[in-house]
Amino acid sequence: LGRTLLGPRLTSLHPALRYSMQSATGLLAVSTVVWAQMLLGVSRASLLALTGLMAVIGGVELWRWVRARTRPRTRRELAERVGFILGGLWVAWVAAAAALPPTGLDERLDHREVPGRGLEAGRFVPCTDHGYAFFPQGGDALLLLGLGVAGETAARLFHGLCAMLTGLAVYGAARSQVGAVPSLLGAAAYLTVPTGLVIASWAYVDHHFALYAFLAVTAVERLLRAWHEADDGRILRWAVIAGVMAGGAWTSKYTGLQLTLLLCAVVLIDVLRGPRKGVPVRALALPAIAFLFFSPYLLRHLWMTGWPLYPFAIGPF
């Protein structure tokens, strides 16, 4: 799904980074559909129908993957094979931990409670007694999908999936600059840092935010590279992708507002660093698309409370 939405124009990326970026785009599309269902009416039947569609797409992809394995395989470094095995052990660990009873306080009080209320009511209901109900719920929409289809373990596995995709993105981004061993060490550092490893099996949104934030940063780096090479077509392409990823982060946490502003600041700082070919006007697609993804939450909060950034009375800054 993500490959279809992004198009076949990411061949310059390392396969791990490309796969992560495509998967994140597909997850963002799915979470948007689920959140729209929360507004219009959601049920286990509608979530099962969406899951069935995803299963069909997944089955086609699995068949393509099996067919690709019958072709001559390229030589891979020993470090990558070891990394693949260790990654499998990491996935097994997270899956086993996700099957345990919930232990995180926020997991039980926020990320399980608010989507659960929507699932029970059949649509989003203003939870005036719960502060987290006024936060963006893009990441929680995936938790609701897992919760409604297969229970709490499935909801937690979505968060573990985001952590795994972030590790792949870290590896792929580093691999284009350095060798396999330091790239694997970088991915391992992210995946095994104690806090991140513990919450990977929780019904949380922190790895969801980190995935889109990191991909947004990598897209901005590609945008600046295209601008330095005066490639207007690639500038627009990477500005759009950066906007999508920043928007994905924004739908997960209010911190996405700061992230989007910082990414725009990076572009402007690069303008000041030296003479370039004009200002990359196409880079305006970055904040515009990010804001487009977040605007439904602003409108919802404006309708519910009279203030779009509730519960933060921070004005335009």
Side-chain angles (χ1 to χ4, degrees):
L1 179 62
R3 185 175 62 245
T4 301
L5 292 173
L6 287 180
R9 298 183 177 180
L10 301 179
T11 53
S12 62
L13 298 181
H14 185 276
L17 179 57
R18 181 170 65 247
Y19 181 82
S20 178
M21 195 168 285
Q22 291 170 339
S23 299
T25 304
L27 283 174
L28 181 58
V30 171
S31 69
T32 302
V33 171
V34 174
W35 195 76
Q37 289 184 4
M38 288 180 65
L39 294 180
L40 303 176
V42 64
S43 65
R44 283 182 168 82
S46 64
L47 295 177
L48 282 170
L50 177 61
T51 305
L53 176 61
M54 293 166 62
V56 171
I57 297 174
V60 173
E61 288 299 303
L62 180 61
W63 174 246
R64 292 181 58 175
W65 183 82
V66 170
R67 290 187 61 187
R69 295 307 93 189
T70 62
R71 301 170 189 167
R73 300 183 64 179
T74 58
R75 177 183 174 274
R76 294 194 178 188
E77 296 185 43
L78 177 61
E80 290 184 334
R81 299 192 180 197
V82 172
F84 186 82
I85 295 173
L86 294 177
L89 295 175
W90 183 91
V91 170
W93 170 272
V94 171
L100 298 174
T103 56
L105 185 62
D106 287 350
E107 176 185 26
R108 288 179 288 152
L109 297 184
D110 295 342
H111 303 293
R112 165 61 180 84
E113 179 68 15
V114 174
R117 289 190 187 187
L119 187 61
E120 293 171 5
R123 64 174 60 246
F124 173 81
V125 289
C127 305
T128 55
D129 63 328
H130 202 300
Y132 186 72
F134 299 97
F135 281 65
Q137 264 104 41
D140 296 274
L142 294 175
L143 304 182
L144 183 142
L145 176 60
L147 191 66
V149 171
E152 294 196 14
T153 297
R156 295 191 190 104
L157 288 176
F158 271 110
H159 195 230
L161 174 63
C162 290
M164 183 194 74
L165 291 174
T166 309
L168 278 177
V170 170
Y171 173 79
R175 192 66 180 86
S176 62
Q177 307 290 334
V178 295
V181 173
S183 300
L184 284 170
L185 289 175
Y190 176 80
L191 292 173
T192 60
V193 65
T195 305
L197 181 59
V198 169
I199 68 172
S201 58
W202 289 3
Y204 247 47
V205 296
D206 294 66
H207 283 298
H208 182 274
F209 178 85
L211 170 64
Y212 290 98
F214 183 78
L215 292 177
V217 170
T218 60
V220 167
E221 189 270 334
R222 296 278 171 164
L223 184 158
L224 295 179
R225 187 183 304 179
W227 181 35
H228 295 169
E229 297 171 358
D231 190 335
D232 292 342
R234 285 173 53 226
I235 291 175
L236 179 61
R237 181 196 315 159
W238 286 111
V240 168
I241 293 176
V244 169
M245 299 307 162
W250 209 345
T251 65
S252 181
K253 280 178 174 286
Y254 266 122
T255 323
L257 169 61
Q258 296 169 312
L259 171 70
T260 304
L261 292 175
L262 287 170
L263 292 176
C264 292
V266 167
V267 176
L268 294 176
I269 289 171
D270 199 71
V271 171
L272 298 175
R273 288 181 59 193
R276 309 290 184 206
K277 184 184 177 182
V279 178
V281 178
R282 290 171 176 81
L284 292 175
L286 192 171
I289 293 176
F291 181 80
L292 180 65
F293 274 99
F294 188 63
S295 57
Y297 297 97
L298 294 176
L299 293 174
R300 183 189 70 170
H301 298 162
L302 179 64
W303 167 69
M304 289 172 58
T305 69
W307 174 244
L309 290 175
Y310 185 90
F312 299 106
I314 58 175
F317 303 106

